[in-house]
Amino acid sequence: MTEDKAVLTDICIDFRNVRKSFGKLEVLKGITAAIPKGATVAVLGSSGSGKSTLVRCINHLEKLSEGEIQVADAVLGAKGVYRDGRRLSEHKIAHYRTDIGMVFQSFNLFRHLTVLKNLIEAPMGVLRQSRAEATENAMDLLRKVGLPEKADAYPHNLSGGQQQRIAIARSLMMRPSIMLFDEPTSALDPELTGEVLNVVRDLAIGGRTSLIVTHELTFARDVASHVMVLDHGLLTEFGPAAEVFTNPKSARTQRFFQSAGL
Ligand SMILES: Nc1ncnc2c1ncn2[C@@H]1O[C@H](COP(=O)(O)OP(=O)(O)O)[C@@H](O)[C@H]1O
Ligand SMILES: [Mg+2]
């Protein structure tokens, strides 16, 4: 136990032989990877390779079939979430989840709430921040994502790119130590993609451990410290970005990078 902890001091997310099946379909076939604290990990791979499932497992949105994921001092396994060998209640799991921000392809803003209310709801309800404090933090983040004038707007009056920037700001309101992005720009027109990627790069990942599922390989090469490549549920590449991009192990990844012009 002590040994585990010592080893994990510089590791933020430790995947240990993670397997996940949906019925007979095995989607993750034994993923082992140690993500260092503060890493920015690009998660690459073709559609259906298991990227979303892997990321969702970290956030307890999917239960593992086998193996475990250690996130800080919580160990997520097939039978539940444990800390110091004790199974955590749903309530405690919810508390862990607040330290993990997740941004999806679809923006998931509350449509009936203004931008400001979208941002302050969880910090007031979950972190017990006062309205004044939450509002101050929200305005600060809205300035940082370049949208302070949209505080009183409703989501349907914003472009997709603006909605996604708000969704990122809303996640950051909880000051999570981990940020997960699942194809944050794939629902956007190409001209709106850049503004969202800039926010991801400049703001969301600073000092945090981030996993970014993306098809934007140039972006991945520019921002990622580490790269994971999934192929049919197997981790075919994992390592520092410079290494994986310049010297991928598998011929399939080589072709994948070449076809993207890297
Ligand atoms: N809830 C689910 N039930 C059944 N099959 C699923 C479910 N979620 C994902 N899958 C299947 O798992 C495989 C991997 O999906 P996913 O993790 O979404 O891949 P990716 O994000 O890389 O495109 C796909 O074949 C998908 O159809
Ligand atoms: Mg996906």
Side-chain angles (χ1 to χ4, degrees):
M1 205 64 204
T2 5
E3 206 173 293
D4 267 353
K5 280 201 175 139
V7 171
L8 279 181
T9 47
D10 294 325
I11 300 299
C12 179
I13 306 171
D14 198 25
F15 298 96
R16 303 196 279 250
N17 191 30
V18 172
R19 291 178 179 267
K20 172 69 184 174
S21 299
F22 293 108
K24 284 189 181 148
L25 180 69
E26 195 177 31
V27 173
L28 299 175
K29 301 175 181 167
I31 304 290
T32 296
I35 311 291
K37 265 191 193 139
T40 302
V41 185
V43 182
L44 311 176
S46 52
S47 175
S49 56
K51 306 180 300 294
S52 293
T53 306
L54 185 73
V55 165
R56 289 167 59 84
C57 283
I58 301 169
N59 204 16
H60 316 258
L61 292 171
E62 301 286 357
K63 218 173 197 183
L64 317 190
S65 305
E66 262 182 64
E68 50 190 37
I69 304 176
Q70 182 158 0
V71 182
D73 57 356
V75 179
L76 291 61
K79 298 209 174 106
V81 181
Y82 291 79
R83 185 175 57 204
D84 292 334
R86 287 218 193 127
R87 189 167 173 171
L88 297 183
S89 63
E90 283 302 318
H91 180 73
K92 288 250 170 68
I93 294 174
H95 176 75
Y96 264 93
R97 212 184 255 139
T98 61
D99 197 36
I100 303 175
M102 178 132 193
V103 174
F104 300 90
Q105 180 178 333
S106 51
F107 321 121
N108 292 100
L109 295 173
F110 302 119
R111 309 208 66 80
H112 61 291
L113 297 182
T114 64
V115 163
L116 181 63
K117 291 220 169 101
N118 261 281
L119 265 65
I120 66 177
E121 194 175 82
M124 285 174 62
V126 182
L127 301 182
R128 305 266 171 237
Q129 286 177 8
S130 69
R131 179 174 295 270
E133 183 186 3
T135 301
E136 194 183 323
N137 293 339
M139 291 312 300
D140 187 40
L141 272 169
L142 286 176
R143 275 188 291 275
K144 287 183 174 152
V145 301
L147 295 168
E149 74 285 5
K150 299 294 186 190
D152 296 322
Y154 283 86
H156 65 265
N157 290 324
L158 304 176
S159 73
Q162 290 171 335
Q163 288 185 52
Q164 193 63 305
R165 282 147 69 194
I166 301 293
I168 294 168
R170 188 177 60 175
S171 282
L172 293 174
M173 287 291 291
M174 300 297 285
R175 307 206 168 110
S177 45
I178 298 175
M179 280 292 288
L180 307 173
F181 297 89
D182 192 355
E183 301 199 29
T185 62
S186 56
L188 299 176
D189 294 334
E191 67 269 24
L192 300 180
T193 296
E195 66 184 47
V196 172
L197 292 179
N198 284 342
V199 167
V200 173
R201 187 192 57 216
D202 295 345
L203 200 62
I205 60 184
R208 293 185 175 79
T209 307
S210 309
L211 266 72
I212 310 171
V213 178
T214 184
H215 293 290
E216 303 285 335
L217 286 186
T218 314
F219 169 76
R221 195 186 50 188
D222 290 347
V223 306
S225 65
H226 291 73
V227 174
M228 295 176 113
V229 181
L230 286 174
D231 187 12
H232 293 92
L234 291 169
L235 188 64
T236 50
E237 313 279 344
F238 174 60
E243 236 166 74
V244 175
F245 279 125
T246 53
N247 199 11
K249 283 191 213 130
S250 85
R252 198 173 143 89
T253 314
Q254 277 170 21
R255 286 196 298 275
F256 174 50
F257 289 161
Q258 268 163 15
S259 67
L262 293 191

